[in-house]
Amino acid sequence: MTNAATPSVTAAGTSPVPAGSGERRKRHGQRHEQLTLLLMVAPFLVPFALVTILPMLSSVVLSLFSYDMLSMPSFQGLDNYLRMFLFDNVFLIAMKNTLVLAAITGPVGFFLAYILAWLINEYSPLKRSLLSFLFYSPALAGNVYFIWQILFSGDSYGFINGFLLQIGLIAEPIQWFRDQRYSLLIVMVVQLWLSMGITFLANIAGLQSINPVYYEAGAIDGIRNRWQELWYITLPSMKGILLFGAVMQIQATFSISYVATVLTGFPSVNYTTHTIVTHLIDVGTVRYEMGYASAISVMLFVVMAFIRVLVGKLINMTGR
Amino acid sequence: MVQQVKRYTRSRYGNFLLTVLLLVAGAFTTLPMLYSIMTSFKPIDELMIFPPRFFVQRPVITNYTELPILLSNLWVPFSRYAFNSLSISILTTILHVLVASMAAFVFAKTPLKGRKLIFTIIQFSLLYNAFTLVIPQYILFAKLGVINTYMAYILPFIPSALGVFLMKQYMDDNIPDSLIEASRIDGAGFFTTFWRIILPIVKPAWLTLSLFMFRDLWSLPQTGMIFNEELKTLPNVMSQIVYGGIARAGNVMAATVLMMIPPILVYLLAQANIIQTMSSAGIKE
């Protein structure tokens, strides 16, 4: 490894070796250096290719086939994609649910994570860390969303039912997780509750790293209230953090499945909380229709990538 | 720390409105947490009371002390689940932090050809997590023979794009190029530079990566890639207790409260470092 530094001395012309050889040794040194660097990224890059890149590429290819993991794949053209939209009603329901979940919990969670971080930022450091811990705790605590099962329990001992019965708003307990009118709504509430995660932490950090000089300059330039300050100074100074938060939010909302399944069962009543990822798992690991599952994956990748680009454009518009 | 001064862009009306908002949001996030702690101390007659009360009247610890008895009925001994969870979480976290830091260093500070392109791909892949990739991964893992082994837990997490991304951004902002040059002039190779000089000074970032990774693994839900009960982890035990309904609510919450202690401890230890790291998390386009 140490000989990487020597070729420059040789190439300086002090050695009796012909010029061409120095060049060759220099090139050799560079090649050696590139090899070292490749070896350093390999422990990450090889598994990364295995668990992310290859699966994505292979699902594009497999989406054109019918494949049950036992017999040979047979080519189907775009049939899998047609099937999704023409013959699979459950897919359409799952797509609708996912989009509704993403369209509501995505932006609401994103703004909540921003606004709370922004509010906390005005407090003293000690209060700030305490409050950020409190807000972050649901996301931190992992499996604590079981509490919602108890809060929304279907009998009169559930806290919400008990409360509503007591004040006379309902006459009999509601089966929250089985009732089509409420189950998706509850999944949204729980998802929002869990969404004060990494986005929130990034926002807190981003807000703290804005140089206060900008605010002083802004005040001189005629910024009158905190809303103008937010729009013209704070938001544009942390576009990168905002985009990061948005990406994390898209990632989280489009992969909702497990929480919904735990709360409302699998399959949920009339597929009320069936999401794309739930459907993927159903088609892939229960029915072993890998070609079709791959096509659904590809569809999901495309939708997510599209929304990611759209959000990137929106964030660039802050401060105008 | 930057001293927060009362700025004249603040109106009293706005302050009031925002404080109300903070209180509402605060209640929404903390009350369920508080309720779970309350429930874990409720005796059975308080769980089965109508109307249900938020606060516990006569706190007991039976929900906690009953756990060992409840868990002794499991088909696979509880210690096995605990061992699985602990070893998977700790081992994977360490591997991930090392692998991700080394790769991040190469992407941030060395002349590897094509590093910008690779990093762009990694940055874009932040969009997709283990859940959205579950089916293509399943097919590939089946081919690799990884299904139903510990590797099915570990492999998807070691190359977490988030870790490399955060680490690389942190290095970009916090490690001067001159430091690398100085080390290179002293004759150190890139690996030595990374190991001796870089790794010790990016401690805030690796603490952050550790927290995120540990948290994810500790609460990792059942995946479709593990069938063998002996290979399953603690969240599985949790879901087994949950099926007991309200009568078991006290036990479930006792178990939940115990389960949340490790990630909370890690967070509290690393808090300041996490904020420091996250300030570099922006995606530059």
Side-chain angles (χ1 to χ4, degrees):
Chain A
M1 225 170 286
T2 42
N3 67 351
T6 47
S8 55
V9 181
T10 326
T14 45
S15 81
V17 187
S21 164
E23 272 303 299
R24 209 179 305 136
R25 278 186 65 185
K26 191 173 176 180
R27 238 182 289 136
H28 175 78
Q30 275 173 355
R31 217 181 298 147
H32 182 83
E33 184 183 278
Q34 290 289 318
L35 192 70
T36 313
L37 294 175
L38 265 182
L39 283 176
M40 285 174 75
V41 284
F44 169 78
L45 228 44
V46 172
F48 179 73
L50 272 180
V51 303
T52 307
I53 303 297
L54 257 176
M56 288 180 84
L57 294 179
S58 68
S59 61
V60 173
V61 176
L62 262 180
S63 73
L64 305 174
F65 288 82
S66 168
Y67 179 46
D68 60 5
M69 297 192 74
L70 295 171
S71 36
M72 282 297 287
S74 68
F75 188 71
Q76 300 284 314
L78 292 172
D79 277 8
N80 283 328
Y81 291 93
L82 288 177
R83 179 177 160 195
M84 240 180 270
F85 292 102
L86 297 178
F87 308 108
D88 187 353
N89 288 329
V90 180
F91 168 78
L92 293 178
I93 296 171
M95 188 61 142
K96 192 206 81 193
N97 288 341
T98 306
L99 289 177
V100 168
L101 273 170
I104 295 172
T105 58
V108 174
F110 180 75
F111 287 121
L112 206 61
Y114 191 82
I115 290 170
L116 288 183
W118 183 58
L119 290 176
I120 287 175
N121 198 42
E122 309 252 310
Y123 291 99
S124 65
L126 183 72
K127 270 193 206 161
R128 193 165 54 209
S129 6
L130 187 74
L131 286 170
S132 32
F133 170 65
L134 283 181
F135 286 130
Y136 183 55
S137 59
L140 185 62
N143 294 303
V144 73
Y145 51 80
F146 284 123
I147 190 63
W148 294 92
Q149 223 164 16
I150 291 160
L151 283 170
F152 280 101
S153 179
D155 46 35
S156 55
Y157 304 118
F159 190 77
I160 306 286
N161 270 339
F163 179 73
L164 292 176
L165 282 169
Q166 205 191 357
I167 62 166
L169 225 83
I170 53 172
E172 54 190 66
I174 297 173
Q175 293 286 325
W176 297 102
F177 299 113
R178 299 282 173 267
D179 194 316
Q180 296 182 44
R181 282 169 299 175
Y182 305 115
S183 51
L184 190 64
L185 205 67
I186 295 172
V187 171
M188 280 182 198
V189 169
V190 177
Q191 191 60 39
L192 268 183
W193 186 66
L194 289 169
S195 64
M196 290 299 111
I198 191 168
T199 312
F200 173 66
L201 293 182
N203 286 336
I204 291 179
L207 284 162
Q208 276 181 50
S209 61
I210 296 173
N211 191 335
V213 170
Y214 291 133
Y215 293 119
E216 283 159 30
I220 293 163
D221 286 348
I223 279 182
R224 308 213 165 279
N225 56 47
R226 72 178 100 209
W227 315 108
Q228 286 182 352
E229 189 181 274
L230 179 67
W231 183 254
Y232 290 108
I233 302 171
T234 316
L235 287 174
S237 326
M238 50 188 291
K239 277 182 187 170
I241 294 273
L242 291 177
L243 187 56
F244 172 76
V247 167
M248 289 294 116
Q249 203 65 24
I250 295 170
Q251 185 226 58
T253 47
F254 275 88
S255 59
I256 295 176
S257 163
Y258 186 74
V259 172
T261 310
V262 167
L263 294 176
T264 63
F266 174 78
S268 47
V269 176
N270 268 338
Y271 299 105
T272 328
T273 62
H274 204 74
T275 62
I276 296 275
V277 173
T278 318
H279 198 51
L280 268 180
I281 295 169
D282 188 20
V283 172
T285 62
V286 179
R287 292 192 258 154
Y288 284 95
E289 295 181 57
M290 291 304 176
Y292 185 46
S294 300
I296 298 175
S297 295
V298 174
M299 206 60 221
L300 181 63
F301 299 153
V302 171
V303 172
M304 287 173 78
F306 175 75
I307 290 171
R308 154 78 170 74
V309 172
L310 204 72
V311 169
K313 293 224 186 313
L314 279 176
I315 285 170
N316 255 327
M317 275 160 56
T318 56
R320 288 195 197 149
Chain B
M1 256 330 121
V2 179
Q3 185 65 40
Q4 291 293 333
V5 283
K6 231 187 172 73
R7 294 199 289 264
Y8 60 87
T9 49
R10 300 297 184 256
S11 69
R12 218 186 311 157
Y13 173 71
N15 277 344
F16 175 72
L17 193 87
L18 293 172
T19 312
V20 170
L21 186 70
L22 194 66
L23 283 174
V24 171
F28 173 63
T29 43
T30 49
L31 288 183
M33 292 293 282
L34 198 61
Y35 192 64
S36 61
I37 296 168
M38 289 289 166
T39 309
S40 75
F41 289 107
K42 281 181 184 173
I44 188 104
D45 55 319
E46 272 189 55
L47 291 169
M48 304 299 254
I49 199 172
F50 180 83
R53 295 207 177 104
F54 187 87
F55 292 99
V56 52
Q57 311 292 313
R58 292 168 293 109
V60 290
I61 54 160
T62 42
N63 290 320
Y64 290 87
T65 50
E66 273 168 17
L67 281 178
I69 307 162
L70 206 65
L71 295 170
S72 64
N73 297 330
L74 293 173
W75 183 50
V76 171
F78 175 75
S79 54
R80 184 65 197 256
Y81 293 104
F83 168 79
N84 288 345
S85 265
L86 269 176
S87 52
I88 290 167
S89 308
I90 293 171
L91 183 76
T92 313
T93 302
I94 294 171
L95 280 175
H96 165 69
V97 169
L98 279 177
V99 162
S101 316
M102 195 155 69
F105 168 70
V106 175
F107 295 136
K109 297 288 168 190
T110 71
L112 177 71
K113 284 182 187 121
R115 73 199 166 106
K116 291 224 169 75
L117 176 71
I118 301 171
F119 189 71
T120 307
I121 295 172
I122 292 170
Q123 188 170 297
F124 196 79
S125 80
L126 281 175
L127 258 189
Y128 306 112
N129 64 19
F131 298 101
T132 44
L133 288 164
V134 63
I135 293 305
Q137 276 184 3
Y138 182 84
I139 303 172
L140 206 81
F141 282 20
K143 292 277 174 235
L144 292 170
V146 172
I147 303 265
N148 214 12
T149 65
Y150 282 125
M151 279 307 275
Y153 290 114
I154 299 171
L155 195 56
F157 285 92
I158 287 179
S160 152
L162 181 66
V164 171
F165 173 77
L166 289 177
M167 186 58 92
K168 193 254 182 190
Q169 303 299 77
Y170 184 81
M171 286 176 174
D172 274 349
D173 286 1
N174 294 282
I175 296 177
D177 287 338
S178 54
L179 192 66
I180 316 284
E181 279 158 31
S183 157
R184 302 278 295 147
I185 288 165
D186 287 347
F190 278 118
F191 182 77
T192 319
T193 307
F194 164 73
W195 190 252
R196 295 256 175 83
I197 296 166
I198 304 304
L199 207 51
I201 55 178
V202 294
K203 189 176 142 224
W206 56 254
L207 281 172
T208 308
L209 263 56
S210 304
L211 169 79
F212 291 144
M213 185 50 63
F214 181 79
R215 192 208 67 124
D216 282 354
L217 288 158
W218 185 249
S219 57
L220 181 67
Q222 192 177 339
T223 63
M225 300 198 200
I226 305 289
F227 310 112
N228 210 336
E229 197 60 32
E230 278 121 45
L231 298 180
K232 289 186 176 172
T233 52
L234 286 175
N236 263 283
V237 185
M238 295 276 306
S239 30
Q240 287 183 35
I241 312 176
V242 171
Y243 290 120
I246 278 280
R248 284 265 171 267
N251 302 118
V252 173
M253 284 307 130
T256 307
V257 169
L258 291 177
M259 279 289 285
M260 63 171 104
I261 292 172
I264 284 180
L265 281 181
V266 178
Y267 174 77
L268 291 179
L269 284 175
Q271 196 185 24
N273 295 298
I274 294 167
I275 297 297
Q276 193 189 337
T277 310
M278 293 310 287
S279 65
S280 317
I283 295 178
K284 289 141 201 152
E285 275 193 337

